[in-house]
Structures are given as C-alpha cells and as structure tokens.
Amino acid sequence: MTAPRYRIELADLPGHRCRVTLTLPAPAAEQDFSLPVWIPGSYLVREFAKHLSGLTARQGSQALAVEQLDKASWRVRCSGRAALVLSYDVYAFDASVRTAWLDSERAFFNPSSLCLRAHGREAAPHRIELAGTPRGWRVATEMRAQGGGYEAADYDELLDHPFEIGPHWQGEFQAAGVPHRIVVAGAWPSFDGERLLADVQRICEAQIDFWGGAPFERYSFLLWAVDDGHGGLEHRASTALICARRELPTAAEGAAPSDNYTRLLGLFSHEYFHAWNVKRLRPSEFARFDYQCENYTELLWFFEGFTSYYDELMLCRAGLVDAGRYLKLLASSVNGVLASPGRRVQPLASASFEAWTKYYRPDENSPNTTSNYYAQGALVALCLDLSLRARKSSLDVLMAKLWKASAGGPVSEVDILVAVRALGGEEIGTQLHAWVHGTVELPLRELLGAAGIDWREEGRQTVAQRLGLRVRESALTGITVTHVLSGGAAQAGGLNARDEVIACNGWRLRRLDDVPALLAAGDTRLRLLVSRDQRLVELDVVLPAPRPASIALALTEGAHAARRRWLGN
C-alpha cells in the first residue's frame, strides 16, 4: 500500500492550530514534498506555506533532516523503504472559503492548505483521518467516507473536497433524484432553513435540466454566515460559501425574496453552475493543474463571465424572481460596468490572463485600467445570447453543444468560436472575438431593444459621479477619496486618491452632496481644501452639469413569446 495518509488533528482551538501527520509508505530515496501556492477557482498566488511550521521527519525511531528547496517545497533523504512520517503545524485563521479556519465554534479547511503533495505519488489514492474533533461536532464533506476516514482517488481529487466541521445546521433535499445537502454554520436563531432548502432545490433542478443531467452522485453546499462577507469557491461535488447573516432568509421574510436574500440565492446559483462550467467544461490550459505557480488562461471571461450571466438568469427561470426583478438585477450589472473606464483599456481576454496580478490585487487606479471578466463577461454572454436568438438559436444551445462535443472536458477559444459560427454564422463569431479581444462598446441597448426590453436613463448623478470620484464618507474621518476616474473633472483639477476633502468655497464639508448648496446660481467653480499627507492643499475644480445617473431596464409591449423563451417566465 503506497497511499499517502494524513492525520489532521484539531489540536489547539484557542491557538487556531491544526496538527498534521503525513505517513508515506515506501518513500523514494530522495522524497520531495510541496504545498500548493494557490487553489483552483481563485486566481492568486496565496502562499499557503506561510502558515506551515515545525516540519519534522522520521522513519521509525530515526529522525531525518528536512531540506527546504524553495518557499513551498521540501526534500527528505530517506534511509531504506520504511514508512516516512512527516509532522507539522498549520495556523488556521483565515475567514474565507480559500484556506482553513479553526476556533472554538467550527473548523473548516481545504486540503490544499493542509496536505503536502508527495511527489511521485500524486496518482495514488489519498486518505484523510480526523482527530481531536470536539463532542457534538459533525463533519460535512463530499470526499468518500471509508473505514473511519475519507479517501480520494488521487491528489487532484483530494484538493477538490473542502471539509466543514462543527455543530452546524444541516438540511437535505433531492433535485432530479440526486441527493443534495446544505450545511450552515453561524446562522442566527431566526434563520429559515426550510425556505433555503426549497429555493435552492428549485435552482438545482433548473440547472440539472439545463445541462441534461448531473455530473455528480451527491452535492453539498457548505455555507458560513458571518457579520459581513460574501463569496464562494466551487468544487467538483460541493461548494464552500460565505455570506453576511443578513442575507439569510428568516421567518419574517416575505413571499418575494429581499434584495439580500436574492444576492445569496445568486451566489448559490453561481457556484452550482460551476460544477459544469469550469470544474468539468474548462479551459484547455486547465486540463492539468500546476499547483506551484500561476496557471494562465485567456478564457475567464467565458468560464466566470458566462457563469455570472446564468446565475441570476437561473433565478428567473426557476421562478424565484419575476422578469421585472431580473431586469433590475441586470441593470445593476450594466451600470457597474459602464461606470468603470477600464473597460475601454483592458480587453477581457487580457483581464483573464492578468487576473493573477490585477483582478485579485486591485488598487486606487484599477477602475481606470482594468475590466471585470465577471460582470463584463456576463454582458458579453447576454449580447451573444440575444444575437444567437435573433438567428433562431441561443446561448443555451451553445453551452449544450460545447458540453457534448468536449464530453464535459477541456475546451479552447477556438472550440468556442467554431461552435458560435456553426450556430450563428461568421458575423457573430467575428463580433464575439472583437468583444473579448478588443475594447469596443457592447451593443447592449440595440440588442435589448430588439428583444423587447426598454432602455431608459434615469436619476441624477451624485456630486461624486459628476466629478468622476469614488469616495468614502464617515462622520469620524470625513470625506476620503478612494478612486479618481480617468477623464473626469476631479482628475483635471488635481485631486488624488487618499486626499481628505475638508472644505469647499470656505465652508466645512461633511458630505460631498452638500456642495451644490454652497454655490450661487450658475456658479460651477469649486475651491476645495484638501488634506494630503498632512499638508493642506487648495484645488480649483469645475463641477460638471448633472446627467442621468444610471440606466433602467423595463419590459415593453409585445415580443412576449421570445422573452419567455429567454427568461423562462
């Protein structure tokens, strides 16, 4: 038996420390180990090894030296073929879905944060055994239970099964005959678990129907509710989620989901859709992962962006929101993209490739130089869907075609474009290439209008919007500039990110929207006093005339049959 075996002990709850013992039968003479530096689905080198300490090695009673090769790799020179035992501690106190957490209330971990890779044994079965679990705590994972532990077919599968451990709430349902489970840690007493189960069941059934079947035998949603947070990370038969408690449904929830609860349902929908689109249907560059460095692809606009398009659309098709509510959600996405000058600078293919250095490491200039492959990619999906529907096809048909052609496996951009051209012709294929490799504006208004959706401009811009600013306002810290947008009046007037705006035209400012009250009729000149690195600076800025603040989308008369085929209700 050559399978690596990990004993993971919840050793020190107050100190947030897991103790890991890795037993490797019949090691190589020079046995190398490494810990991943990133986790698939989250495209940033996160250096999990920074939390590992106290690494020791032994064979029987003989202690062996451990040589560190680089930031996340080690070598042990073994004496014979007796089992090699490594022991080490891992600090687990990251409040996210990506790494590990341990305290007196719960434990959570992705094996990528705890389980060293034994080089040369990746294809062998891997086993996890848990120890030190407090009385009353339960274990939730989709890794196969076997003989008092958990087993994965190989190292890749090992890393694709997170563990949620604690006195959590748990409920089950079946979707299209497939068992599903929702686990919730940290919910407050008014949490309505039965409603969450019923609503998520509808999402799952709609998506299984969309794809023509489930690619897993069971599925778990592992949700951690906290004071403030939102996000998820997909896995082959589960997803790890985090949300703000205010997003959970409660006994007081009305028949129509609140905005907060709708946001949570969209998160469930997004991560579940990934079980097909990225975990199986995936970029050809991800056919095999290299866990020790960045893995580049230009296709995140498709695998994240198209998933972002379908997440809220599936809420509509499942009957959880009506068409009018869906259009409000869509309009919010449109407004977010239109408010970012970076969409005219960085093509979506480049945004995908550069996610490792730009998307996950934003700064004050990011809105000016980067596009968002999630939100803008979703709008590309919308444009492609409506373009194909005008030619008696749809994005639904395209996704099914790619799934069948790839047998639920890797695809390239060429594969996607070939399928698009087969369904919609050369013109649409050329348009899609331009949308993702160029910086042209998407024809949203025209395509939505042809689909029976009215595009309206409404509202009046805030002072920050008129100036081209993003600010943080607080009664304690005042008005602080967080972003200065390219081409705006604030940039022309010399404002910088991190400036504190103190006064305007001799008046103390508490809120930026008080500025118009300080101007005489017809006056647009602002004399701003700002604090910059402890110095007071005066700046002359011209306040542009207000324009409509946003677009709104609404149903028009007619085209009902086409809209129903698109929206599903």
Side-chain angles (χ1 to χ4, degrees):
M1 183 70 173
T2 61
R5 185 172 75 252
Y6 304 87
R7 182 180 187 270
I8 298 175
E9 180 184 1
L10 310 184
D12 181 2
L13 276 62
H16 319 296
R17 183 175 58 88
C18 296
R19 183 71 174 170
V20 183
T21 303
L22 165 57
T23 301
L24 183 66
E30 288 190 345
Q31 181 63 59
D32 289 351
F33 300 89
S34 61
L35 194 68
V37 302
W38 71 291
I39 183 169
S42 184
Y43 307 103
L44 178 67
V45 172
R46 296 187 182 274
E47 313 292 19
F48 301 136
K50 68 185 177 182
H51 295 306
L52 187 151
S53 62
L55 178 59
T56 62
R58 61 180 172 83
Q59 283 181 295
S61 61
Q62 181 183 3
L64 302 177
V66 179
E67 177 188 359
Q68 186 155 7
L69 304 177
D70 59 31
K71 63 184 180 180
S73 301
W74 297 264
R75 174 174 295 160
V76 179
R77 290 178 171 83
C78 298
S79 176
R81 301 285 283 172
L84 174 62
V85 179
L86 299 186
S87 297
Y88 52 93
D89 290 338
V90 176
Y91 179 70
F93 203 56
D94 181 75
S96 79
V97 297
R98 297 178 293 266
T99 53
W101 175 274
L102 178 63
D103 68 1
S104 61
E105 303 296 326
R106 71 185 279 268
F108 169 85
F109 66 85
N110 289 287
S112 51
S113 295
L114 271 64
C115 296
L116 288 170
R117 174 168 65 99
H119 292 209
R121 301 293 181 84
E122 293 88 348
H126 285 60
R127 180 176 177 84
I128 285 179
E129 297 171 354
L130 299 175
T133 303
R135 185 183 300 274
W137 285 24
R138 296 187 292 183
V139 179
T141 183
E142 285 304 323
M143 192 178 294
R144 183 169 59 93
Q146 180 70 33
Y150 302 87
E151 290 190 354
D154 52 30
Y155 189 73
D156 284 333
E157 184 181 320
L158 180 85
L159 298 196
D160 218 7
H161 288 296
F163 281 68
E164 176 69 42
I165 308 169
H168 45 249
W169 178 92
Q170 179 174 307
E172 298 183 356
F173 63 87
Q174 291 212 352
V178 179
H180 289 64
R181 167 175 56 178
I182 300 178
V183 170
V184 183
W188 45 29
S190 60
F191 166 56
D192 187 349
E194 294 305 313
R195 175 163 188 179
L196 183 63
L197 287 170
D199 290 346
V200 174
Q201 179 183 22
R202 293 167 69 175
I203 294 169
C204 295
E205 288 174 341
Q207 294 196 20
I208 291 172
D209 180 67
F210 175 90
W211 289 103
F216 39 74
E217 296 180 354
R218 288 184 53 86
Y219 193 92
S220 286
F221 297 93
L222 310 178
L223 174 63
W224 185 23
V226 296
D227 180 51
D228 192 24
H230 185 87
L233 188 63
E234 67 275 2
H235 298 277
R236 65 181 64 191
S238 63
T239 181
L241 308 168
I242 188 169
C243 77
R245 289 188 185 92
R246 61 182 174 274
E247 296 178 14
L248 293 172
T250 68
E253 189 87 24
S258 66
D259 289 345
N260 282 331
Y261 182 38
T262 299
R263 186 173 187 235
L264 177 60
L265 293 175
L267 178 62
F268 272 82
S269 181
H270 183 98
E271 302 304 335
Y272 192 67
F273 199 84
H274 271 321
W276 291 267
N277 193 42
V278 91
K279 294 309 302 182
R280 290 168 174 86
L281 187 68
R282 61 192 184 277
S284 55
E285 297 90 346
F286 290 176
R288 293 290 300 177
F289 290 122
D290 184 340
Y291 298 111
Q292 304 315 121
C293 63
E294 297 88 343
N295 290 219
Y296 294 101
T297 179
E298 290 188 340
L299 287 176
L300 296 183
W301 58 267
F302 181 89
F303 290 98
E304 291 292 354
F306 281 38
T307 298
S308 295
Y309 170 63
Y310 275 110
D311 57 21
E312 291 175 343
L313 183 57
M314 284 294 172
L315 301 187
C316 189
R317 292 182 178 178
L320 294 168
V321 299
D322 61 19
R325 183 81 173 274
Y326 170 71
L327 291 179
K328 289 181 180 179
L329 296 170
L330 180 59
S332 178
S333 297
V334 172
N335 285 316
V337 170
L338 295 181
S340 296
R343 74 185 190 281
R344 304 189 189 98
V345 176
Q346 186 187 42
L348 282 174
S350 298
S352 300
F353 195 86
E354 296 179 301
W356 299 89
T357 55
K358 293 188 176 180
Y359 181 81
Y360 283 95
R361 289 176 174 158
D363 59 28
E364 67 282 350
N365 195 45
S366 293
N368 297 322
T369 58
T370 63
S371 58
N372 185 320
Y373 55 76
Y374 282 90
Q376 194 170 331
L379 297 186
V380 167
L382 169 67
C383 290
L384 180 58
D385 195 7
L386 296 181
S387 297
L388 289 172
R389 287 177 184 277
R391 288 161 175 78
K392 310 304 181 184
S393 188
S394 70
L395 188 58
D396 299 1
V397 175
L398 174 67
M399 301 302 286
K401 184 179 180 69
L402 290 170
W403 179 260
K404 182 178 180 181
S406 68
V411 296
S412 67
E413 184 173 334
V414 171
D415 297 325
I416 296 169
L417 289 173
V418 167
V420 168
R421 291 184 173 110
L423 295 176
E426 186 68 29
E427 180 185 357
I428 294 184
T430 300
Q431 284 180 334
L432 177 61
H433 187 273
W435 291 338
V436 300
H437 287 278
T439 55
V440 297
E441 293 284 9
L442 298 173
L444 292 164
R445 186 168 190 167
E446 298 86 344
L447 289 170
L448 286 166
I453 306 301
D454 188 26
W455 176 292
R456 304 170 184 169
E457 295 181 339
E458 64 179 22
R460 291 173 66 86
Q461 291 178 312
T462 65
V463 170
Q465 289 173 322
R466 292 165 68 179
L467 292 173
L469 284 177
R470 295 179 184 175
V471 300
R472 182 176 61 251
E473 294 182 339
S474 165
L476 296 176
T477 60
I479 305 167
T480 302
V481 176
T482 59
H483 301 83
V484 180
L485 301 183
S486 294
Q491 186 182 65
L495 275 162
N496 292 346
R498 295 184 288 278
D499 283 350
E500 179 189 352
V501 182
I502 298 173
C504 175
N505 294 359
W507 291 83
R508 180 74 166 93
L509 270 185
R510 306 288 185 184
R511 296 170 60 254
L512 206 55
D513 280 336
D514 289 339
V515 164
L518 308 179
L519 298 176
D523 188 9
T524 61
R525 178 177 175 273
L526 309 181
R527 188 66 174 170
L528 297 179
L529 178 67
V530 306
S531 173
R532 178 181 298 167
D533 191 25
Q534 294 188 310
R535 293 174 298 168
L536 296 180
V537 180
E538 288 189 314
L539 300 171
D540 285 315
V541 180
V542 175
L543 180 65
R547 294 179 299 167
S550 61
I551 65 98
L553 302 175
L555 301 172
T556 60
E557 294 297 326
H560 296 306
R563 275 205 308 260
R564 280 197 297 271
R565 286 193 295 272
W566 169 36
L567 300 179
N569 76 23

